[in-house]
Amino acid sequence: MRYLPLTDTDREDMLARIGVPDVDALFSDVPDGKLLKAPLDLPRAKGELEVERIMARMSARNVAASSVPFFVGAGAYKHHVPATVDHLIQRSEFLTSYTPYQPEIAQGTLQYLFEFQTQVAALTGMEVANASMYDGSTGTGEAVLMAHRVTRRRKAVLSGGLHPHYTAVVRTLSEMANDDIVALKPDVAANEDILSQIDDTTSCVVVQSPDVFGNLRDLKPIADKAHAHGALLIAVFTEIVSLGAVVPPGAQDADIVVGEGQSIGNALNFGGPYVGLFAAKSKYIRQMPGRLCGETVDADGQRGFVLTLSTREQHIRRDKATSNICTNSGLCVLAFTIHMTLLGQAGFTRLAEVNHANAVKLADLLAGVKGVSVLNESFFNEFTVKLGKPAAQVVEALAARGILGGVPVSRLLPTAGLDDLLLVASTEINTDEDRAAFVAALAEVL
Amino acid sequence: MLNRQGRPTQGTASAQEQHPTFTGNKALQQIEPLIFEIGHHETTGVDIDKPAPFKARLGQHARQGEIGLPGLSEPEAMRHYVRLSQKNYGIDTGLFPLGSCTMKHNARLNEKTARLPGFSDVHPLQPVSTVPGALEVMLELSHYLMTLTGMPAVALSPKAGAHGEACGMMAIKAAIAAKGEGATRTVVLVPESAHGTNPATAALIGFSVRSVPARADGTVAVEDVKALLGPDIAAIMLTNPNTCGIFEPQIVEIAAAMHEAGAYFYCDGANFNAIVGKARPGDLGVDAMHINLHKTFSTPHGGGGPGAGPVVLSERLAPFAPVPFIHVEGGTPRLVENAADAPQGNAPFGRMTAFHGQMGMYVRALTYMLSHGADGMKQASEDAVLNANYIRAGLSDLMSLPFPDHPSMHEALFDDEWLKGTGVSTLDFAKAMIDEGYHPMTVYFPLVVHGAMLIEPTESESKASLDLFIATLRDLAMAAKGNDKERFTAAPHHAPIRRLDETRAARQPVLKWVRPAPVAEAAE
């Protein structure tokens, strides 16, 4: 086995040095009869070439986003990632390192975490950011729990425009912990009356903008009402690129901001790994979940970085910790940070502009197809169209024509009776040819 | 003296007086500024053309004002992050014996397959008909995990070990609720020696936590568990092999006692890498166990993630597994994304995460499993255990063993009894290892052992590598017992940076870069 350096001679010498007759003597604490004698019913070791062939065959059965006109979003987005990003995250010293428990030989990791925290705080318009969550959905769950700790209340109000998977993650946690949630009904026009749900028992209001249907939402009135009742506003986004074009949640007085960072530096990966972004007002840092990196000095007075405020964390506080998280999405954070560094605000705002322009072009073209109407007043790079037919069928028919044309709302909300709605996303990767092919195919299948 | 970024040069004062230079840098030990100190707001390392004029649809939401982020050109970014990488220690740099963290070789084949476009470039919500290969990976991985653990079901979606713990405990909570005991079974037993994630997880989902004492030999005794059992007990969360590196000898009796009391047995599978192919949790009475794909099946740790924490489940917990999951009917796999679509008899407790979990990690882990095969995985476990015991045998005459009566599994645990009176602490000893070119072992964990040093070499190390490591540690141990205190208390001497003031970081938290005030104002 090519990954195992010991030879049989080594093994014999080592057993002799330890003073045991065979390796099973080292498993003597395994109860009688529980040590496996027969080999497991799995194939034997394979060489590199053979494994590569097996994996390539499975991969080839999937339709890759780059190989077709591609308009799928709803929480994960196909963007172009500069080649430099993947090269750098594969540097051995980044790829094969661990949590920076020994800061003197982990300054590389710690410094990029610090850069990441600064970037996320700037993008969201918030005072502090942590060093990543698993993804946007689990980050939203953590944000709700954090709001419960801050307000000492246990009722969260969830907008109907929150991504249904995010709602489900929050609901799972809440039901388990016997907390309350009020989840509003999905409303494509974003006319929901969320303000009337806020009262003195509310711990937080969770609102996504752009929401799952693509609508941009005005957060300030919700923040004001929440604050008047001692509740927090948790602002959520699934497309970070939108923050290059729209008012950031921090400027609308959000208390906690959570989002999905996959769009910057990270591939689609069929859903993971992604990277959760999490920012807050600085008065709440001791209630924040997850990892934080802080600046300090070494014995010579030179600047350095360490993991900090760990007294909030599970390995110290155990059942009183702010969360049970003990890993983060370190490498995904690195990819995010490098890509964001390459973009800078100049590139990032340009990227946002191109995304929006492409989406507007697409919306105009789709609106011209007979039987199709675009439902959004405002949007960034994703919007909802109404078709005269079940969107799930339309998407399959488009796929058969080699076009991945969006996400049927019924896939996210099977019981909402919104079967003829389709979520369509467009980014900088879409060309005029892609749009023309989409429009032509849609006209054909409707 | 200022360096080229206009900041004062630092480093050891004496060295500077003897060898003053313009930059203050020494070979590869450059000070690397933050991107905010070297970048510019108008600089960008990407080429994106301005779109043709169009009518924006942002409503009144258009951003006003600057973001306040600098950019770097591609060569500048390349150099910045390469230099940062040079300040990091990884498993490809040298032995990384962090106990409980399992720093084994990360095969680059895993990286290559994970980047195949059919895996990395597919969207979780594109039509299921366009991703049969992705479902095949998930099914194949599930098959391997179930076979290796002897468990009948698996929930793939948890995104890390602790997330997997939550998933397993939620399944247990759902099963208890289904029996109508939700209001009464509210307590979870957690040994004192457990990972901190265990009590945190139990509390997260609304259980209260009661501690089980650790015996003097480092194990949990069935009598101690039985003494705590009652109608209020929901489950025990037990790590096996445990955090002291010992296989719990009474695990079967403990599982039986839990089941007899109507409670469940959650096994923390963080150390599963010690027993793959040697023993199956399903044979021991486990109801749920998470598997850290990154530890056991070698997906890279990447500076602390991403992880992946699939959970294997017993027959009685399987119906409660969260969505999404794959259901095979008549040989055809179907992706079940909503509880309403679940096959009859299933009552998913909810959803752990948006989408389907860590596909990128599934591919890496499956690649590792196919490469090793059943024979290679068993051999890997045996070698990991052999290597740990070889280190133990090589050091036990100099360093003290808290639990000499049990063989070590994949990690060897020492305490600081042997350092008594030397003025050298466990932390000092760890920092001195840095000067010898090694990443330190895990220190001060498990908490039940004073000044713990937990060494996990893994199966990736050759005998020559272990011999050198043992010789180095013996040399250091002799020095610690001799009169060479400075070598330890002032260590590291040869790292890119000297020992860091962690107290200051916590007392005066600085969590992001802030533009310094102009010099003139600062002087006033």
Side-chain angles (χ1 to χ4, degrees):
Chain A
M1 212 293 127
R2 62 189 178 279
Y3 300 150
L4 300 177
L6 297 184
T7 64
D8 283 342
T9 314
D10 290 336
R11 292 182 182 114
E12 277 168 35
D13 291 351
M14 291 164 74
L15 288 168
R17 172 73 185 82
I18 296 164
V20 291
D22 56 34
V23 76
D24 279 352
L26 299 173
F27 289 84
S28 59
D29 279 335
V30 178
D32 283 347
K34 301 299 182 191
L35 202 60
L36 292 170
K37 298 295 176 207
L40 291 169
D41 185 19
L42 291 170
R44 292 179 60 81
K46 292 180 174 60
E48 183 156 338
L49 175 61
E50 197 177 351
V51 175
E52 249 183 271
R53 280 184 181 144
I54 293 169
M55 298 308 291
R57 183 188 52 72
M58 283 195 255
S59 165
R61 296 183 66 201
N62 299 325
V63 176
S66 305
S67 65
V68 289
F70 186 85
F71 303 92
V72 188
Y77 301 88
K78 167 76 182 163
H79 290 284
H80 175 253
V81 179
T84 307
V85 174
D86 195 45
H87 173 84
L88 283 170
I89 68 167
Q90 289 196 74
R91 291 274 307 181
S92 256
E93 305 89 333
F94 286 137
L95 184 76
T96 75
S97 61
Y98 195 60
T99 304
Y101 290 137
Q102 298 289 340
E104 296 84 359
I105 45 171
Q107 284 300 299
T109 296
L110 287 157
Q111 186 166 332
Y112 80 64
L113 293 179
F114 190 80
E115 292 179 349
F116 171 81
Q117 288 175 181
T118 307
Q119 287 172 331
V120 173
L123 289 165
T124 55
M126 300 298 285
E127 290 167 333
V128 289
N130 74 12
S132 94
M133 300 270 111
Y134 308 136
D135 68 10
S137 67
T138 62
T140 303
E142 293 289 344
V144 169
L145 297 178
M146 175 172 152
H148 291 350
R149 287 191 296 276
V150 168
T151 61
R152 294 165 197 254
R153 299 174 187 174
R154 302 174 66 147
K155 190 179 90 182
V157 174
L158 272 47
S159 159
L162 184 62
H163 193 295
H165 286 173
Y166 288 38
T167 304
V169 171
V170 174
R171 188 187 292 281
T172 300
L173 276 171
S174 297
E175 282 176 359
M176 288 289 166
N178 295 322
D179 294 345
D180 292 335
I181 66 165
V182 177
L184 272 64
K185 276 181 60 178
D187 173 10
V188 192
N191 284 329
E192 62 182 4
D193 178 17
I194 202 162
L195 295 180
S196 70
Q197 299 295 330
I198 304 168
D199 60 29
D200 289 345
T201 66
T202 308
S203 100
C204 58
V205 191
V206 186
V207 187
Q208 181 177 325
S209 179
D211 70 12
V212 70
F213 301 106
N215 305 299
L216 291 161
R217 305 283 291 264
D218 193 358
L219 303 176
K220 188 67 171 60
I222 306 170
D224 291 344
K225 177 94 191 260
H227 295 157
H229 287 275
L232 305 188
L233 171 64
I234 298 172
V236 178
F237 57 85
T238 60
E239 173 55 292
I240 173 86
V241 179
S242 66
L243 296 182
V246 307
V247 184
Q252 303 180 72
D253 211 13
D255 298 282
I256 304 173
V257 178
V258 196
E260 176 55 65
Q262 171 270 330
S263 285
I264 300 299
N266 286 279
L268 288 169
N269 285 326
F270 199 52
Y274 288 175
V275 50
L277 311 180
F278 194 108
K281 290 179 175 169
S282 59
K283 61 182 167 186
Y284 302 131
I285 49 174
R286 285 185 163 75
Q287 292 300 333
M288 279 175 89
R291 203 164 280 169
L292 290 169
C293 170
E295 183 184 320
T296 187
V297 294
D298 76 353
D300 293 333
Q302 179 163 309
R303 177 173 68 186
F305 303 95
V306 294
L307 293 183
T308 193
L309 298 175
S310 61
T311 48
R312 305 163 298 123
E313 290 189 76
Q314 37 78 26
H315 60 278
I316 311 244
R317 292 293 303 282
R318 298 175 81 82
D319 54 328
K320 305 281 190 299
T322 57
S323 79
N324 71 335
I325 295 172
C326 87
T327 183
N328 65 350
S329 287
L331 211 60
C332 304
V333 164
L334 177 61
F336 180 101
T337 299
I338 296 168
H339 191 181
M340 188 55 73
T341 297
L342 285 165
L343 288 163
Q345 73 175 19
F348 187 67
T349 48
R350 178 62 61 85
L351 177 66
E353 194 186 7
V354 172
N355 268 252
H356 186 48
N358 279 358
V360 169
K361 271 190 237 175
L362 181 64
D364 288 345
L365 287 171
L366 290 177
V369 177
K370 193 166 174 260
V372 177
S373 49
V374 175
L375 301 185
N376 305 67
E377 289 278 319
S378 64
F379 60 86
F380 172 63
N381 70 352
E382 184 162 23
F383 51 88
T384 307
V385 294
K386 190 175 170 66
L387 311 167
K389 274 188 175 177
Q393 284 175 23
V394 172
V395 161
E396 288 293 344
L398 289 170
R401 286 166 171 75
I403 289 161
L404 297 180
V407 180
V409 169
S410 61
R411 182 153 180 196
L412 299 174
L413 293 161
T415 56
L418 301 172
D419 294 357
D420 60 346
L421 301 188
L422 181 67
L423 304 175
V424 178
S426 173
T427 70
E428 76 284 359
I429 65 158
N430 296 135
T431 61
D432 285 336
E433 291 74 32
D434 289 344
R435 282 183 284 272
F438 186 14
V439 168
L442 189 61
E444 232 176 271
V445 304
L446 279 180
Chain B
M1 175 135 340
L2 301 178
N3 69 9
R4 66 193 168 84
Q5 280 81 39
R7 295 194 300 115
T9 56
Q10 283 153 337
T12 62
S14 58
Q16 207 132 95
E17 282 151 23
Q18 285 163 25
H19 307 287
T21 62
F22 176 65
T23 62
N25 290 332
K26 291 183 286 298
L28 285 173
Q29 311 244 322
Q30 294 113 330
I31 292 168
E32 185 58 26
L34 292 158
I35 53 171
F36 314 103
E37 294 161 334
I38 50 178
H40 298 283
H41 287 181
E42 62 274 26
T43 304
T44 177
V46 297
D47 294 322
I48 303 174
D49 288 337
K50 196 173 167 57
F54 68 103
K55 195 163 162 271
R57 300 272 287 271
L58 298 170
Q60 77 279 32
H61 304 281
R63 182 186 260 278
Q64 317 289 326
E66 303 250 288
I67 300 170
L69 280 180
L72 296 180
S73 65
E74 188 172 305
E76 290 173 301
M78 196 74 190
R79 190 171 286 167
H80 175 70
Y81 287 104
V82 167
R83 282 177 162 192
L84 286 191
S85 76
Q86 290 172 328
K87 294 175 189 295
N88 251 15
Y89 191 102
I91 185 64
D92 293 344
T93 310
L95 184 58
F96 206 132
L98 268 181
S100 203
C101 299
T102 314
M103 297 299 294
K104 61 171 73 172
H105 172 60
N106 297 136
R108 292 312 189 275
L109 176 60
N110 305 354
E111 297 304 308
K112 189 173 181 182
T113 56
R115 284 170 174 78
L116 289 167
F119 300 136
S120 65
D121 196 29
V122 288
H123 191 289
L125 296 175
Q126 69 187 62
V128 179
S129 60
T130 64
V131 291
L135 301 194
E136 191 182 352
V137 166
M138 292 163 80
L139 278 172
E140 191 73 358
L141 178 70
S142 301
H143 173 68
Y144 269 79
L145 293 176
M146 291 188 291
T147 307
L148 292 171
T149 56
M151 303 283 280
V154 57
L156 285 183
S157 67
K159 306 206 83 142
H163 205 219
E165 286 178 29
C167 177
M169 292 306 290
M170 285 178 181
I172 287 171
K173 194 157 184 176
I176 288 171
K179 288 196 283 187
E181 298 179 333
T184 47
R185 290 197 185 268
T186 56
V187 179
V188 169
L189 302 179
V190 182
E192 287 170 350
S193 56
H195 292 121
T197 49
N198 291 174
T201 297
L204 172 81
I205 59 175
F207 287 114
S208 54
V209 175
R210 203 168 294 160
S211 279
V212 185
R215 286 280 171 121
D217 71 344
T219 68
V220 173
V222 66
E223 306 90 80
D224 295 338
V225 173
K226 280 184 175 164
L228 293 166
L229 286 178
D232 58 335
I233 303 297
I236 189 169
M237 296 184 82
L238 188 72
T239 307
N240 189 50
N242 71 21
T243 58
C244 302
I246 301 168
F247 191 99
E248 291 285 354
Q250 293 192 303
I251 190 157
V252 174
E253 290 91 331
I254 293 170
M258 297 310 295
H259 293 155
E260 203 169 308
Y264 292 85
F265 176 16
Y266 186 87
C267 184
D268 180 320
N271 298 329
F272 184 51
N273 63 306
I275 56 169
V276 176
K278 298 295 290 180
R280 295 184 301 185
D283 298 340
L284 305 171
V286 168
D287 290 301
M289 181 180 94
H290 74 268
I291 297 164
N292 302 75
L293 293 184
H294 45 294
K295 293 180 185 187
T296 304
F297 301 110
S298 170
T299 67
H301 294 71
V311 178
V312 286
L313 298 166
S314 63
E315 206 73 67
R316 51 198 198 134
L317 292 183
F320 303 101
V323 290
F325 56 83
I326 301 175
H327 178 67
V328 184
E329 231 166 41
T332 313
R334 177 167 74 90
L335 186 65
V336 178
E337 294 180 277
N338 296 287
D341 300 336
Q344 211 175 5
N346 283 61
F349 68 72
R351 173 180 278 276
M352 295 300 294
T353 174
F355 313 131
H356 322 305
Q358 307 287 63
M359 181 66 177
M361 301 298 126
Y362 305 162
V363 174
R364 288 173 175 88
L366 183 59
T367 301
Y368 173 94
M369 291 168 163
L370 294 173
S371 298
H372 276 269
D375 46 337
M377 285 189 273
K378 175 169 181 269
Q379 188 68 58
S381 298
E382 289 182 352
D383 286 359
V385 171
L386 183 60
N387 281 357
N389 284 282
Y390 186 65
I391 286 177
R392 168 175 158 157
L395 296 173
S396 56
D397 58 326
L398 280 176
M399 294 165 60
S400 43
L401 288 170
F403 308 121
D405 300 338
H406 293 277
S408 296
M409 296 302 288
H410 59 300
E411 49 196 0
L413 176 63
F414 298 91
D415 61 21
D416 63 356
E417 184 67 28
W418 65 281
L419 282 173
K420 250 189 195 160
T422 62
V424 174
S425 69
T426 292
L427 184 70
D428 297 330
F429 190 76
K431 297 298 184 195
M433 285 170 67
I434 293 174
D435 286 332
E436 305 303 321
Y438 288 109
H439 193 287
M441 71 288 263
T442 292
V443 291
Y444 303 107
F445 180 83
L447 303 174
V448 286
V449 170
H450 198 272
M453 305 180 197
L454 189 60
I455 301 177
E456 179 174 10
T458 81
E459 70 276 12
S460 304
E461 298 303 322
S462 67
K463 181 169 177 294
S465 162
L466 297 175
D467 285 336
L468 188 61
F469 180 69
I470 291 167
T472 306
L473 254 60
R474 291 188 69 83
D475 177 50
L476 277 177
M478 304 279 246
K481 289 179 177 184
N483 274 331
D484 207 354
K485 204 173 134 188
E486 176 77 359
R487 181 172 172 187
F488 296 90
T489 53
H493 299 274
H494 305 303
I497 202 158
R498 302 287 306 284
R499 211 180 291 194
L500 286 151
D501 187 348
E502 307 207 23
T503 312
R504 171 177 158 145
R507 289 228 175 108
Q508 307 156 20
V510 178
L511 305 177
K512 68 174 181 184
W513 182 81
V514 179
R515 183 176 299 284
V519 177
E521 281 176 40
E524 280 170 19

